[in-house]
Amino acid sequence: MRLHFATLFFSAILLAIPTLASKGDTSIAFHECLESCVVFVCDADTNHELPYTLKLMQWDCPDNCKYECMMMDVDRDLEAIASGSEDVEIKQYYGKWPFHRFIGIQEPASVVFSLMNLWAHIRGGKYLLGRMRSDHPMYKYYFWYIIIGANAWVWSTVFHMRDKPATEKLDYFSAALTILYSLYVAVIRLFGLYQPPRLHLQQPASYSARRPSWLPPQHILHQLWSALCVLLYLAHVIYLSVIPRFDYSYNVIANLIVGVIHNLLWLSYSFSFFPFRRFEFKPQSYIPPYAWKPAALAVGMTVATSLELWDFPPWWFVIDAHSLWHLATVPLTWWWYRFIAEDAADSGWASGRIPMGKGMLD
């Protein structure tokens, strides 16, 4: 998985920050500088004179003027602050704090920490699948979860490298897909909608007796749930793609609803009042020794997410609260994989004749 369950929820909220007018880009000094730069610097040949690294990162002359004028404005504010002015502070520009770019990369720290999350995700996915048989009921769901999550972190990296309308949408849509797919997998896992393996995991004879008579057959529920998730995601992407202005508020609310439902499902796993049988071959009263971990990870993610509330001008114009949040999720990602690996290797998945895990967890 890209992240543990709480990360999936909070990532949608924290990435969906609208680019509205800010103090910096509405300041007179900034606009005078920008207008002068565009008129006198951006002639027909200037784009070709930009460094190769800037052109590689899709910088053009007007964009470069915005950056240069922003940093000049920041330098004036720093001088005023150093001289003792109390009414001057570092401003945001176009909804973001100013950052020193590096070889054309807009937010170097967030790029590095996004890549660290991608590494933790791939390493955790390899750890998980290495401890599951290919015929495990959850194998294919976790496999695609790894692919979808890795894709999300790739586009997070690209978006922080260069904030463009296309990279923004790819980042938001990939994050939304990860969040919705996490809910999809949670329902499959916790409600037992996975298809029973053909060879090693037969449903107990009492299975049909435990299911309410009014419920459709398991395979029908699986198909209905899959179709609903596909339709919801397509509707989400189409709506945000056809409207004239990206609806940031809707994007936050939609992901919030999905994330809250997802979190509540996994949180219930940790407590004795879990309303469902965790494993088909264990009694409902069975609580595995690692059941506390989803709740602990939720607390850890809440603490990590509080970094976003601590919004401040970037340290050295490189590290801000958002990048620190990305950094904090790296170990949480690994611990989440440890939990689902333990869950996947539990003896409750099998009838006792053939173990479903590939070995003891180290």
Side-chain angles (χ1 to χ4, degrees):
M1 300 179 184
R2 175 190 178 189
L3 299 170
H4 70 75
F5 59 96
T7 309
L8 298 172
F9 159 48
F10 285 115
S11 63
I13 298 175
L14 301 177
L15 290 175
I17 300 177
T19 305
L20 302 176
S22 304
K23 288 183 178 180
D25 52 271
T26 57
S27 71
I28 296 176
F30 173 80
H31 269 286
E32 289 178 348
C33 173
L34 180 58
E35 291 174 4
S36 176
C37 180
V38 171
V39 171
F40 296 105
V41 177
C42 295
D43 56 47
D45 299 323
T46 302
N47 283 346
H48 301 288
E49 297 175 1
L50 291 175
Y52 176 76
T53 54
L54 295 185
K55 292 189 288 185
L56 181 65
M57 290 293 145
Q58 299 296 304
W59 289 85
D60 57 19
C61 185
D63 286 340
N64 193 54
C65 284
K66 289 180 182 178
Y67 172 80
E68 297 292 350
C69 290
M70 176 185 70
M71 298 313 297
M72 291 174 61
D73 204 32
V74 169
D75 288 340
R76 284 192 292 268
D77 289 342
L78 289 175
E79 291 177 1
I81 293 172
S83 64
S85 298
E86 297 181 356
D87 58 342
V88 178
E89 59 183 7
I90 302 300
K91 303 182 290 288
Q92 290 189 342
Y93 298 79
Y94 302 102
K96 291 190 172 185
W97 291 111
F99 292 91
H100 285 307
R101 67 187 177 190
F102 175 70
I103 58 172
I105 296 173
Q106 283 183 278
E107 300 177 39
S110 289
V111 168
V112 171
F113 299 153
S114 291
L115 288 172
M116 290 172 62
N117 275 281
L118 176 62
W119 171 82
H121 175 78
I122 294 175
R123 184 170 181 264
K126 183 178 179 180
Y127 176 90
L128 170 64
L129 296 184
R131 283 156 175 77
M132 298 177 68
R133 292 166 53 129
S134 60
D135 58 355
H136 190 287
M138 294 300 298
Y139 187 92
K140 65 179 180 180
Y141 303 105
Y142 288 154
F143 174 81
W144 284 109
Y145 209 170
I146 294 166
I147 299 299
I148 291 171
N151 172 74
W153 278 118
V154 167
W155 288 114
S156 174
T157 302
V158 172
F159 173 64
H160 287 302
M161 291 177 69
R162 190 71 174 95
D163 181 357
K164 305 282 280 186
T167 60
E168 179 188 58
K169 284 187 171 63
L170 287 167
D171 181 35
Y172 288 172
F173 292 163
S174 297
L177 178 60
T178 306
I179 294 165
L180 182 58
Y181 195 77
S182 71
L183 175 61
Y184 173 76
V185 172
V187 170
I188 293 292
R189 164 64 187 91
L190 298 176
F191 287 83
L193 298 187
Y194 41 78
Q195 300 300 316
R198 293 184 294 273
L199 299 177
H200 304 307
L201 188 60
Q202 300 177 355
Q203 290 180 342
S206 59
Y207 178 79
S208 59
R210 293 197 305 268
R211 289 172 56 83
S213 58
W214 52 269
L215 277 179
Q218 180 187 15
H219 70 282
I220 298 297
L221 288 174
H222 181 277
Q223 292 172 1
L224 291 173
W225 175 236
S226 300
L228 176 62
C229 288
V230 170
L231 291 175
L232 287 174
Y233 182 70
L234 289 177
H236 177 79
V237 172
I238 292 172
Y239 169 71
L240 291 175
S241 299
V242 300
I243 56 176
R245 181 182 177 86
F246 194 90
D247 192 340
Y248 294 95
S249 298
Y250 157 77
N251 188 58
V252 170
I253 294 171
N255 287 295
L256 172 64
I257 293 172
V258 174
V260 166
I261 297 172
H262 177 266
N263 290 355
L264 291 174
L265 286 175
W266 274 113
L267 280 171
S268 67
Y269 182 100
S270 295
F271 300 104
S272 58
F273 54 80
F274 184 69
F276 312 107
R277 186 184 295 261
R278 292 179 179 84
F279 301 95
E280 288 299 330
F281 292 95
K282 295 285 187 179
Q284 186 165 350
S285 60
Y286 171 67
I287 302 177
Y290 50 83
W292 58 272
K293 292 187 178 181
L297 288 166
V299 172
M301 179 47 58
T302 301
V303 173
T305 306
S306 66
L307 291 170
E308 280 286 4
L309 303 178
W310 182 36
D311 197 20
F312 56 87
W315 297 334
W316 312 289
F317 298 100
V318 175
I319 299 174
D320 68 336
H322 183 72
S323 64
L324 289 177
W325 174 76
H326 277 323
L327 178 63
T329 60
V330 175
L332 294 172
T333 299
W334 172 246
W335 294 334
W336 168 249
Y337 274 107
R338 296 280 295 190
F339 159 67
I340 57 175
E342 288 180 286
D343 177 77
D346 195 285
S347 60
W349 285 102
S351 62
R353 295 175 296 168
I354 301 176
M356 295 304 298
K358 279 192 174 181
M360 298 298 293
L361 295 172
D362 51 32

